[in-house]
Amino acid sequence: MIRKASFFFSFLCLIFFSAIVIFLFTESLPIWKSEGASFFSRKLWYYRNESFGLLAMVFGTVWVSILALGIAAPIGLGTAIYISEYSGGKARLFLKVLVELLAGVPSVVYGLLGVLVLRGWIRQTFSLQSGDTLLTAGILLAIMILPTLVSLSEDALQGVPRRYREASRAMGLTKVQAIIYTLLPSAKTGLISSGLLALGRALGETIAVFLVIGRADNRLPKTLFSLKPLVEAGQTLTSKLGGSEVNLAYGDPLHWGAICGAALVLLSMALVAYIIGELLIFQAPER
Amino acid sequence: MNNNVLISLRNVSVFAKKKQLLSPVSFDVVPNTIHSLMGPSGVGKSTLLKCINRLTDLQPELRVEGEIWYRNKNILSPRTNVENIRKKIGMVFQAPVIFPGSIEKNVLFGIKRMAPEKKKDFPEILEMSLREAALWDEVKDRLKDRAHLLSVGQKQRLSIARVLALRPEIILLDEPTSALDPRSTELIENLFVSLKKAHTLILVTHDKSQTEGICDSCIEFTWENGVGKMNEIQAACGTSCEEPTLTLAPKLETI
Amino acid sequence: MFKKYWVFSLLLILTLLGKSFAAEKPLRINGSTTVNPVVTEAAEILSQRWQRPIYVDTQGGSSGGISSIGDHLIDIGMISKPLSEKDRKRYPKIDFVVTQIGTDALALVVNKDVVEGGVKALSKEEVKAIYEKKITNWKEVGGKDQAIFFYNKEPGRGTWEVFAKWVYTKIKLVPPVSHAEVGGNEEARTKVGTTPGSITQLSASWAQEGGSIVALGIKLDDGSVIYPTKKNIKERLYPLVRPLNLITNKTPEGINKDFINYVLSDEGQQLVKKHGYMSLNEF
Amino acid sequence: MLDKLLNRLLPIVCFVCTLLTFLLLVGVISYVFSRGFSALSWEFLSTPTKEAGSAGGILYQILGTLILGFGTTIFVSPLAYGYALIHSFFLKSGKRKRLMSVFIYSLNGFPSIIFGIFGFFLFVKFLGWGKSWLAGGILLALVSLPTVTVAIIERIKEIPSLHKEAAYAMGFNGEKVAWSVIIPQSLGGYFTGLFLGLARAIGETAPILFTATVFAGATLPTGVSQSPVLSLPYHLFVLAQDSYNPQALTNGWGAALVLIGIVFTLSFLALPARMIVHQKAKNDE
C-alpha cells in the first residue's frame, strides 16, 4: 500500500514538473515558428506591432545577476571565512543560525525597502536623475542572496577536514597562508557551487527586481562593454513576466507564445546555473 | 643539559578548560633515533605530539603547561616563533593529507611558502624528497598528474615527502600507518629506519610489533583516574641497536 | 502510455474538484487602479450590508478588466477609458455593456522642481516630442537645464491609452519608445515625486493630493493655457478628460445591477467625489 | 612580502565583511521594525482591511496566508514523503537514485514566477477555477517540495541500518519496515523540512500573483473555484505600487512586520534540528 502510494506521489512530482516544461514549450511554439532564433537576437519588444525580441531582457537579466553575484560573492566569502575560521563554538553557531534566519526574509519586503530606501540612496550616491536602475536591482539582489551565499560557502569551508588545516599549519604556514593555500583550494568546488546556486536564485527573483528596475523595454548599450546601462532603467525576463503583459497576452497566441517563450528561456538559464552547481557538490573530490 | 639530547620535555601537562587530560610528562629524545609513544586511544598521545610543534594552538580550548626544550629554546614559550619551529619539526598524520593539484605541487607545497627564495633549487628538492620518501621511482614520469590518483600508501609517502622537502630536523608521526595495508606499512616502516640517518622521528602508534621492529625507545601511556599518565621509559636500545626485536621484546612483556 | 492516463485522470479530478466545490457565487471585480479606490470602498460597504463576498483586484489595469470579462473570470470590470471597437472585436462573443460612474481628468504630472524651473504647461506637440525623445531637456520647453525623465504607464493601463489617443489619435500610430514604466497610480506618484525632472501620465486627482508632484497645464493651439481644475473640466475647456466606467457582459442583472446602481446612487457618487473624481452630475 | 601583508589584512577584511553582512541584514529587519511597529496593535491584527489598506487591519490577509500555508502542507506532505521513501528506501538501483537526486535538487532552481505563469494557464484559465486558494496551495507546495523532500531524505539516510535489519529479521516486509521504522524515525526531518519549506513558500509573491489572491474583498474561502484569499505578500506588493496615502504605507510596513514574524516563527521551529546539523558538521572534522 505505502509502496504503491509512494510511487504514485513521486510520479505526481515528476508529472507536475514535466508538465510545466511541456506547457512552456507547447505554448511558446507560435513564437518559435514565427521568430525562430531571431527571438533571441531581435532588439525590439513592442507587442502592439507584434515585434518580439528578447535581447534587451536577456541583457538586463545577465547584467543584474552578474552585478548581484559580483557584489555578494566577495562579501559572502569573507563572511564565510570569518564564521568558519575565526569564530568558534557558540559564536559560530549563533552567526550561522542568524544567517539562515535572515535568508527567509520574503522578497516582497526587500522590494518595499528597495522602492522606498535604496532607490533614493542610489540616486543621491551616483548623482543620477532616477533611482530605477539595473544597479539598484543588482544591489538589492546582492543583499537578498547574501545569506544563502554565506550559508552555503560556510558549509563548503566546514566540509574541509581539520587535518588539512593541521597539515599545512604543521609545516609552518601561518593561519592566513593555510586559508589561502589549503582551505580555499580544497573547498573550491563547494564555493563555486554555492556561487552558482546563488546565481540561480538571482536569475529567477521576480518581485524585488520588478519594483526597482524601472521596467524600461528595449534598452541596449551602443557598445557591448559600455557601463552606462547600469545606471539606467532596464528590463529583465522576470520583471516582464511579473508585469501586466501576462494578462494582456493571454488569448493572443503570438503574444502569449512570446511570454511563454521568455519564461522558457528564463527557466533554462536558471536551471543550467543550478544543475551545474548541484553536480559540482555531488562530485566534490574524495577526501 | 646533556649535549646529546635534541628535545627535552619537562613536566608537560595538558588541560581542556578546567579538566586535566594528561598528567605531567618528562622525557628526552636523542638525535637520530625513532622514539615511540604507545597506549590506549584517547589517552593523549596525539595531543602530546601536537604540543611539540605547538599545533595545539589550533584548538583554543586546550592549555599546555610545562616546558619543551629544543636548541636552547622553550617551544611552549609565548615568544617562540611558531612558524620557524614547525618548519624544523615536521608532522605526518594518520590519514594522508593530499592538497588539490599535482604531485609536484604537493611536494613543494610547504617549501614554496616557507622558503620561496630557494626557487631555483626546487627541482632538486623535489627529486631528493621523493627519493628519500621512496616514491621517486613510482612517480618520476608523472609529476604533473593529480595527486589524488595515487594509492593510499603512495599518498602517505607523498605526505612524508612534502614534510621532508622542508628539511626538518624532527618528524612527528601520528599513527602514520594505521590507515594502510600491511604491504604499504612495511614499505613505510623501512622508510622510517632509513630516515633515521638524517632525522629524528617521534612516532605515535598502536602497533606493538611496529615499536618492537623499528623503534629505539618507547614510552607507554595508561589511564589513571580518567587522566592520561606516562609510565616510565621502557626501553632505550640506543643507536647501536642492531636487532631491536630481540632486545626490546622481553622488557615490554614485563609491563 | 501509463503516464498519459495519469495526466488525464489528474486533470479530470482537478476539474471536478473545481466544479463541485465552487464557492457560493461571489461578486468579482477587476481592472483599473484609477477606479479601484471608489469600487473597493463601495465593495467594503456592500459586502457588509449584503453579507456576501465581493472581490476587488487591480491586475493588469483596464485591459485586465476587459480580458477578465472576456474570459468570464469576473462579473464587473473597471476601466478608466472609453471601451474601443478593438476591445469589442477581440471578444466577439461578449456583449459588453458600459456604465459610466464618473469622470476624471488625465494630467501630465511632473516633479515639483520642473514647475519651479519655469515649465507650467506643455502643448500637444511638445508632449509628443518628449514622448518620442526628440526633446530630452526641460530647457527646450522653457525650463531650467535639466534632463527629462519620462515614466510611461505600463501596457494595458487605461491612463496610457487615453494619453496615446490624445497625442496620436490612434494607438496603432504610437511609435515604440523605451521609457521606464510604472504600473499603479501610487507607483507613478512615488516615483515621480522622488525623481527630479520626471514626468508621467496620471489622473489629475492624484496629483492634487501631494505636494511633491504637480499637474501641468496644456497649451492649446490658440496659445491659451488650460489647467486641469474642476472648473475647467466642468466647462469642458480641459481636453484630456476620460470617463470612469464599469463594464459587464450583457445588461447588468441581479447583484451586478445592484452594485452598479449603488455606485450610481447619491451615496456612491459621494465616494467618487471623495477620491477626487467628478461625479456624474458635476460633469 | 605579499604573504606578510595578507597575514595582517585577511582577518581584518573578513571581519569587515562579516560586520557588513550582519549590519545590512539586521539593518533590513530593524528598518522594517521601526517603520511597522507603530501600526501593530491587537486591533490591527484582528480587524479586516478598510479603505483599501488605509484603515482597519489585516485580519484576512493573515488568515489567507495561513490558509495558503495549510494548502501547501496538505499537498507537499504526501508528495515529499512519497518521493523520499522511493528515493531512499524502496529504490535499490544507484543510477535511478542519482537521477532522482539531481531532479529533486534542480527543482530548487525553478524561478517562482514560472509556477505563477503555469498556474495562471492551468488553474485560472484551462480548468476555469479563476483565482483559488487551492491553486495557490498546490503551486506553493511545488515551491517548497525540494526543501521538504531533501530534509526527509537526509533523515532517512541517518537511520542506522541495524534498526532496519532488526525489523526485517522479525519477518517484516518492506511495507511494514517503512511503517514501523522509516516513517517514525524520519518524522523529525519531515517537520524541520516542512517548517523551512513553509517559511519560504509563505513569503512568495510571484506564484500566487496571478492565481490565488486578490487585493480586497475576499474573506474565508467557501469552495475551490472562484475562492481567492487575501495574503500578506500580495497585499504588500499592491501597496508598494498602489497605496494612496501615508497611513496605507504605515499599515503596509506593519503587514511586512507580521509577515516576517510568521516566517521567522516557522524558521525558529526548525531551529533545534538545524543547530544539531551545524554542531555535527563541526564535530565530524
Side-chain angles (χ1 to χ4, degrees), chain A residues 21 269 271:
Chain A
V21 177
M269 285 168 79
L271 275 189

Side-chain angles (χ1 to χ4, degrees), chain A residues 140-258:
Chain A
L140 195 62
L141 265 185
I143 301 175
M144 290 177 65
I145 62 173
L146 196 53
T148 317
L149 207 53
V150 170
S151 185
L152 290 171
S153 312
E154 210 270 347
D155 287 345
L157 292 178
Q158 215 48 243
V160 178
R162 189 157 80 195
R163 61 176 201 277
Y164 279 69
R165 286 160 241 240
E166 286 186 337
S168 34
R169 294 303 293 282
M171 269 183 289
L173 268 65
T174 59
K175 184 162 189 168
V176 170
Q177 282 175 322
I179 290 172
I180 294 176
Y181 299 120
T182 309
L183 198 61
L184 295 184
S186 305
K188 195 173 71 191
T189 13
L191 293 174
I192 293 177
S193 136
S194 65
L196 283 167
L197 298 187
L199 181 69
R201 187 165 174 214
L203 284 168
E205 175 50 46
T206 308
I207 298 302
V209 173
F210 180 88
L211 289 170
V212 298
I213 199 165
R215 312 201 290 281
D217 275 328
N218 310 324
R219 290 285 176 90
L220 277 167
K222 295 213 170 60
T223 60
L224 190 60
F225 296 105
S226 155
L227 290 178
K228 199 158 172 285
L230 290 190
V231 290
E232 286 179 353
Q235 183 90 278
T236 65
L237 290 164
T238 50
S239 65
K240 176 61 86 184
L241 293 173
S244 63
E245 272 195 43
V246 175
N247 273 292
L248 284 178
Y250 190 80
D252 174 353
L254 196 61
H255 193 186
W256 177 245

Side-chain angles (χ1 to χ4, degrees), chain A residues 16 53 59 71-72 89 116 155 172 175 185 223 244 251 253 270 272 286-287:
Chain A
F16 258 120
F59 172 82
I71 297 167
L116 296 160
D155 287 345
K175 184 162 189 168
T223 60
S244 63
V272 165
E286 22 104 37
R287 285 178 173 132

